[in-house]
Amino acid sequence: MYDIIKSAGVWQPAQGTEKALVATSNGIVNVASTMLTDGTDIKKGQLLLNLTSKGLATDNLNAHIVQAKADFDQAASAYERKKELYESKIVPKSEFEKVESKYVRAKSKYESVALGVSGGRKQIRAPFNGFIKSVHVANGDYVDQGDILITVATEKSKILKSRIAPTSGLTMQNAKYLRYLTETNQRNSSYDSNGEILSISKDVEQDNPLIAVFAEVNEDINVPDGSLTQVQIAMGSGKPTTIVSESALLEDYGNYSVMVQLSGEGFERRPITIGKRNGKNVEVVKGLQVGDMVVTEGAYQVKMASMSGSTPAHGHAH
């Protein structure tokens, strides 16, 4: 069990999980699907948009490709001739390097212009599995190179930002893991998802005297960015101790107990003294011994059955 700091956190996109797809050439937008709306699921490589310059007097994509291909072919031919002469020591290295540099530039330009072009259209495809976060253009819009077309994202990884008091004693050295609530109200931890606490801010803001803690969560969290969740940060040097699940606790006016199986279907209510809690398990300071069989699901129902005398003292456990 570790010491626990309770707080609230805000879900944020992790680096690399959100990408803005921009126009790689001037042209007219042609939407590939009528279902191109915010929140739509997408697959890696899926065609989202086409950019076409057909009918435009200027900035015609096909004309640019033809010109870039001609320049590349010419530069490649000159490069091959100079390369043979250089290897035969007929021309100096400086002259060959000039031709080589021109060839590299022409090749790069042609590949850039022709990349993703099919049927005279520049294709914009999904870079990964995820969903459409926002659409910035409409069918038929004219866009310039560099304009943002669509923003896509994935839920595979998120950043959880929480704020705690600077006097809490939390450091990167004693921080262990972070617990949070998923969209199904299940309490998971960054440790279970191979995530980690990334950083702890060192300064406080004038209007907010708290420090920020950033943690990476590597699982699908299907909630909008900016959503709040409960957070529990584990810190300190954990020690082996007796624990039971939170669901095993029975509480009466601040007094705690659990249902312990004696034999077969015989149970007794056992008063206990609890210590630390981490939102999932509870430390038992007094009242239980190693090996005790504790009811962790349906403890209240077992308690009521025991009180009514309907639970037999002996029999087979179910």
Side-chain angles (χ1 to χ4, degrees), residues 106-182:
K107 180 182 179 182
S108 177
K109 181 179 179 180
Y110 170 63
E111 291 176 344
S112 176
V113 172
L115 181 65
V117 175
S118 178
R121 296 181 172 187
K122 197 82 166 182
Q123 297 181 331
I124 307 298
R125 295 182 177 273
F128 45 65
N129 294 338
F131 65 95
I132 295 174
K133 186 170 183 179
S134 56
V135 180
H136 305 276
V137 293
N139 196 45
D141 284 352
Y142 176 82
V143 294
D144 292 316
Q145 183 176 353
D147 287 349
I148 298 178
L149 306 173
I150 296 178
T151 301
V152 295
T154 176
E155 303 284 9
K156 292 296 183 183
S157 181
K158 280 186 177 290
I159 298 296
L160 187 54
K161 177 185 178 182
S162 54
R163 289 190 175 275
I164 61 174
T167 56
S168 62
L170 182 68
T171 66
M172 288 301 296
Q173 289 69 40
N174 65 17
K176 300 303 179 183
Y177 60 84
L178 178 144
R179 288 193 184 279
Y180 50 88
L181 289 179
T182 66

Side-chain angles (χ1 to χ4, degrees), residues 89-122:
K89 301 186 183 302
I90 298 176
V91 297
K93 183 179 180 180
S94 59
E95 186 175 336
F96 168 68
E97 287 178 341
K98 289 181 181 179
V99 175
E100 183 182 37
S101 177
K102 185 176 181 181
Y103 161 73
V104 171
R105 291 196 302 271
K107 180 182 179 182
S108 177
K109 181 179 179 180
Y110 170 63
E111 291 176 344
S112 176
V113 172
L115 181 65
V117 175
S118 178
R121 296 181 172 187
K122 197 82 166 182

Side-chain angles (χ1 to χ4, degrees), residues 124-314:
I124 307 298
R125 295 182 177 273
F128 45 65
N129 294 338
F131 65 95
I132 295 174
K133 186 170 183 179
S134 56
V135 180
H136 305 276
V137 293
N139 196 45
D141 284 352
Y142 176 82
V143 294
D144 292 316
Q145 183 176 353
D147 287 349
I148 298 178
L149 306 173
I150 296 178
T151 301
V152 295
T154 176
E155 303 284 9
K156 292 296 183 183
S157 181
K158 280 186 177 290
I159 298 296
L160 187 54
K161 177 185 178 182
S162 54
R163 289 190 175 275
I164 61 174
T167 56
S168 62
L170 182 68
T171 66
M172 288 301 296
Q173 289 69 40
N174 65 17
K176 300 303 179 183
Y177 60 84
L178 178 144
R179 288 193 184 279
Y180 50 88
L181 289 179
T182 66
E183 68 277 8
T184 57
N185 217 33
Q186 181 178 350
R187 194 175 295 279
N188 289 356
S189 76
S190 57
Y191 177 83
D192 296 331
S193 67
N194 293 320
E196 60 179 334
I197 295 179
L198 299 173
S199 64
I200 303 171
S201 64
K202 302 183 184 300
D203 299 319
V204 296
E205 301 172 4
Q206 186 174 1
D207 57 346
N208 192 344
L210 301 175
I211 59 174
V213 180
F214 297 89
E216 178 187 33
V217 176
N218 292 321
E219 69 167 309
D220 290 330
I221 303 294
N222 297 312
V223 297
D225 292 333
S227 299
L228 296 174
T229 182
Q230 296 179 17
V231 169
Q232 295 177 341
I233 304 172
M235 61 171 284
S237 54
K239 63 177 182 178
T241 186
T242 302
I243 63 172
V244 295
S245 171
E246 284 263 14
S247 59
L249 285 185
L250 297 171
E251 181 182 2
D252 288 318
Y253 301 103
N255 297 314
Y256 296 94
S257 60
V258 294
M259 297 302 297
V260 178
Q261 184 181 34
L262 300 178
S263 61
E265 293 184 1
F267 299 85
E268 75 169 6
R269 185 177 180 183
R270 182 83 57 81
I272 61 171
T273 302
I274 67 172
K276 298 177 181 178
R277 307 174 74 152
N278 64 10
K280 188 173 184 180
N281 298 312
V282 181
E283 178 185 19
V284 178
V285 178
K286 183 180 179 182
L288 289 179
Q289 295 180 350
V290 175
D292 284 342
M293 299 291 289
V294 178
V295 178
T296 58
E297 293 185 14
Y300 181 76
Q301 287 78 2
V302 174
K303 169 194 169 186
M304 298 304 295
S306 298
M307 292 174 63
S308 66
S310 61
T311 304
H314 301 283

Side-chain angles (χ1 to χ4, degrees), residues 78-96:
Y79 169 74
E80 292 298 331
R81 289 196 303 270
K82 287 292 183 180
K83 183 179 180 182
E84 292 179 3
L85 294 175
Y86 171 67
E87 290 175 347
S88 301
K89 301 186 183 302
I90 298 176
V91 297
K93 183 179 180 180
S94 59
E95 186 175 336
F96 168 68

